[in-house]
């Protein structure tokens, strides 16, 4: 609901700068100056994350490709692009997110409309910063402003909920140096009564898990990875699940914490088969057909208290996703990440084939707030869950915390309860819960609208 202040506000200037993400690699920050009705000028900023395990259909970042600087990963060109993009939105009302993003997207002249020329990282930085400015102009928390935008996107009021934190506490895949093919293993405290309790029992279990891993594998295996999870010297997903269950039981939270996993199967899909030994020096590895992978997932879901599987097959393997969803989708959320890349056209394909029952939402996969809301609303209209996510290369920007609440996503992943760039999101959610008294999604994380 716009105020007189909002209708008289305008963006005054936009500039970009190169900053570093949590891996010490460059990313970009947009700085937006704006005026309200009193002509008082304020400044907001937004930083963009970057993924390592990326989908082929993701919008494209702009990198400098100068081998003599940050090994070619510099973002000076993207920072410069922010300045160019800014000229398109100067004078616009920061509360009008849809118009702002439309103006930004008009500058995307790439043949595939993947933002490769102007940089998805540059577009998103401006889009997020303007969204933050819009909330300040309206005098409301960012999550409430996003909630207004979400209601406009779907054409009806959207109930805000506190999301279930899905804590990535064991790492494998391309995120770790062990032999584990599956990329992420989650603690999912859906049985808690509040977000605050969920984060507490998740953090308690994480600390117990550290002790369990140290007892069984030694101190060296308790070092943490990019997302704060441990990477013990294990090779099978079942061993990862066993460690989680041991920690949950020792912490005393067996009735409140469930399990989930992101195999990120595109990373070990080779020559038509799924090679669970792809990181091993052993010739041949442990290769499985798609049908055999379905059987493996069914067994894991039967043997452990699983509630979520993300990207269990290759990013183009819609048929295998559909086969698994038809078998376990009534009780397990099957989430498409690389499969969809927060892209409406790919979600439409997933809906037609009944490939999954949920989509992972990563704002930098698509590159603007409005396009992210479009993908969310498409899923919501079709009864799919939406799982908001960070990236492995993160920043201290907590935008996705407010996003997850504003769209009533029901669940969020931002890594383990460790490392400040991860905790920035979880701590912001603690503030939101305290200040606004929003209910916790809990066991309804898949259908948060169904309270």
């Amino acid at each position: 609901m716009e105020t007189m202040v909002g209708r008289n506000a305008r963006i005054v200037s936009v500039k970009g700068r190169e900053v570093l993400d949590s891996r010490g690699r460059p990313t970009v920050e947009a700085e937006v100056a704006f005026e309200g009705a009193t002509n008082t000028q304020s400044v907001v900023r937004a930083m963009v994350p970057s993924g390592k395990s990326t989908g082929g259909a993701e919008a494209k970042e702009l990198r400098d490709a100068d081998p003599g600087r940050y090994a070619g990963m510099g973002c000076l060109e993207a920072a410069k692009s922010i300045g160019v993009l800014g000229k398109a939105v100067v004078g616009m009302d920061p509360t009008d997110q849809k118009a702002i993003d439309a103006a930004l997207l008009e500058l995307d002249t790439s043949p595939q409309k993947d933002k490769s020329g102007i940089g998805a990282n540059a577009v998103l930085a401006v889009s997020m910063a303007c969204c933050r400015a819009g909330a300040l102009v309206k005098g409301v928390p960012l999550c409430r402003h996003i909630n207004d935008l979400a209601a406009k996107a779907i054409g009806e009021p959207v109930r805000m909920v506190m999301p279930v934190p899905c804590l990535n506490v064991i790492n494998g895949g391309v995120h770790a140096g062990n032999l584990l093919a599956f990329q992420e293993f989650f603690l999912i405290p859906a049985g808690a009564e509040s977000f605050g309790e969920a984060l507490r029992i998740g953090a308690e279990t994480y600390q117990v898990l550290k002790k369990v891993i140290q007892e069984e594998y030694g101190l060296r295996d308790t070092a943490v990875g990019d997302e704060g999870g441990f990477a013990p010297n294990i090779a099978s997903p079942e061993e990862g699940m066993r460690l989680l269950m041991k920690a949950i039981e020792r912490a005393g939270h067996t009735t409140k914490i469930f399990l989930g996993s992101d195999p990120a199967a595109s990373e070990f899909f080779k020559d038509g088969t799924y090679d669970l030994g792809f990181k091993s020096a052993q010739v041949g590895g442990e290769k499985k057909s798609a049908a055999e992978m379905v059987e493996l997932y069914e067994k894991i879901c039967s043997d452990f208290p699983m509630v979520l599987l993300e990207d269990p097959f290759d990013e183009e393997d819609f048929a295998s996703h559909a086969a698994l969803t038809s078998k376990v989708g009534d009780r397990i959320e099957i989430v498409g990440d690389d499969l969809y890349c927060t892209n409406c056209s790919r979600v439409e394909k997933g809906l037609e084939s009944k490939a999954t029952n949920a989509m992972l939402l990563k704002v930098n996969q698509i590159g603007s707030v409005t396009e992210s809301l479009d993908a969310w609303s498409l899923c919501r209209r079709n009864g799919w869950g939406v799982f908001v996510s960070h990236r492995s290369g993160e920043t201290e920007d907590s935008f996705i915390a407010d996003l997850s609440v504003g769209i009533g996503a029901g669940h969020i992943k931002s890594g383990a309860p460790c490392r400040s760039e991860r905790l920035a999101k979880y701590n912001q959610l603690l503030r939101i819960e305290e200040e606004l008294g929003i209910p916790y999604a809990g066991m309804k994380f898949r259908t948060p609208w169904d309270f």
Side-chain angles (χ1 to χ4, degrees), residues 38 50 55 94 160 175 202 204 232 243 253 270 274 279 283 285 300 328 367 399 440 446:
T38 61
S50 179
M160 294 195 292
H175 287 180
E204 289 174 355
L243 289 171
H253 301 312
K270 311 292 179 184
Y274 292 90
K279 294 194 290 182
V283 177
I300 289 173
V328 302
F399 185 89
Y440 180 59
R446 289 179 61 180

Side-chain angles (χ1 to χ4, degrees), residues 1 22 57 72 100 153 171 174 184 229 236-237 244 248 281 294 296 302 406 435:
M1 185 169 65
S22 59
I100 287 168
N171 297 168
V174 299
E184 300 174 359
S236 76
L244 294 186
I248 291 169
V294 170
L296 173 63
S302 175
E435 294 168 8

Side-chain angles (χ1 to χ4, degrees), residues 52-75:
K52 185 175 184 180
S53 172
T54 58
E58 289 195 27
K60 302 299 185 284
E61 297 176 327
L62 185 59
R63 298 279 180 175
D64 298 342
D66 176 1
R69 189 173 182 278
Y70 287 115
M73 299 302 291
C75 286

Side-chain angles (χ1 to χ4, degrees), residues 83-374:
V84 174
L85 292 163
K87 294 177 182 177
V89 300
V90 166
M92 296 184 72
D93 180 349
T95 66
D96 194 349
Q97 189 70 40
K98 190 170 184 178
I100 287 168
D101 288 339
L104 296 174
L105 296 179
E106 281 185 10
L107 298 179
D108 178 16
T109 58
S110 60
Q112 302 299 322
K113 290 298 178 183
D114 59 6
K115 304 177 181 68
S116 56
I118 52 177
N121 45 354
V123 176
L124 182 60
V126 178
S127 180
M128 287 168 53
C130 289
C131 188
R132 190 165 272 139
L136 289 175
V137 164
K138 290 164 63 174
V140 299
L142 178 57
C143 62
R144 288 205 182 279
H145 176 48
I146 292 173
N147 186 248
D148 291 342
L149 299 176
K152 289 179 182 178
I154 202 168
E156 62 184 29
V158 176
R159 180 169 186 176
M160 294 195 292
V161 297
M162 296 304 302
V164 174
C166 298
L167 306 165
N168 173 18
V169 294
I170 291 182
N171 297 168
V174 299
H175 287 180
N178 55 18
L179 298 181
L180 188 59
F182 285 21
Q183 187 165 280
E184 300 174 359
F185 293 77
F186 307 127
L187 297 173
I188 303 179
E193 297 296 320
S194 67
F195 177 82
E197 183 193 7
L199 190 60
R200 175 181 64 79
I201 65 177
E204 289 174 355
T205 305
Y206 175 76
Q207 296 300 330
V208 173
L209 177 63
K210 180 177 182 178
K211 295 176 182 177
V212 169
I213 291 172
Q214 182 174 344
E215 289 171 1
E216 296 196 20
Y217 298 97
L219 184 60
R220 290 182 62 183
D221 280 28
T222 61
V224 300
D226 286 350
E227 298 182 1
F230 304 114
N233 186 27
I234 60 177
S236 76
E238 293 90 345
E239 179 66 0
M241 299 295 180
R242 184 192 67 79
L243 289 171
L244 294 186
M245 290 306 300
K246 187 172 182 178
I248 291 169
E249 290 165 6
R250 189 180 294 186
H253 301 312
T254 52
T255 63
K256 295 186 176 182
I257 298 180
F258 302 87
L259 303 185
S261 178
D262 172 15
S266 292
E267 300 292 346
F268 56 87
F269 183 67
K270 311 292 179 184
D271 301 321
T273 61
Y274 292 90
D275 185 1
L276 297 180
F278 81 106
K279 294 194 290 182
S280 171
Q282 180 181 350
V283 177
E286 186 185 350
K287 295 182 178 180
K288 291 183 179 292
S289 67
E292 289 172 328
M293 288 300 295
V294 170
E295 292 177 0
L296 173 63
Y297 292 130
E298 283 189 279
K299 186 174 189 309
I300 289 173
C301 291
S302 175
D303 293 346
F304 300 97
M306 297 287 291
V307 293
L308 183 153
L309 276 170
E310 177 190 329
D311 272 1
F313 297 97
D314 180 64
E315 63 188 52
E316 297 299 334
D317 196 351
F318 283 80
S320 295
H321 279 92
L324 180 63
T325 300
S326 69
K327 290 179 177 293
V328 302
D330 58 333
R331 65 186 191 278
I332 308 294
E333 183 174 66
I334 308 299
V335 184
D337 174 15
D338 294 346
L339 189 69
Y340 302 132
C341 292
T342 318
N343 186 305
C344 285
S345 64
R346 292 185 67 87
V347 173
E348 288 279 11
K349 184 176 180 179
L351 287 165
E352 290 171 7
S353 61
K354 298 181 180 178
T356 67
N357 51 32
M359 177 197 78
L360 198 74
L361 193 163
K362 293 174 174 173
V363 287
N364 85 314
Q365 279 184 329
I366 193 63
S368 73
V369 172
T370 297
E371 290 170 296
S372 298
L373 292 176
D374 288 344

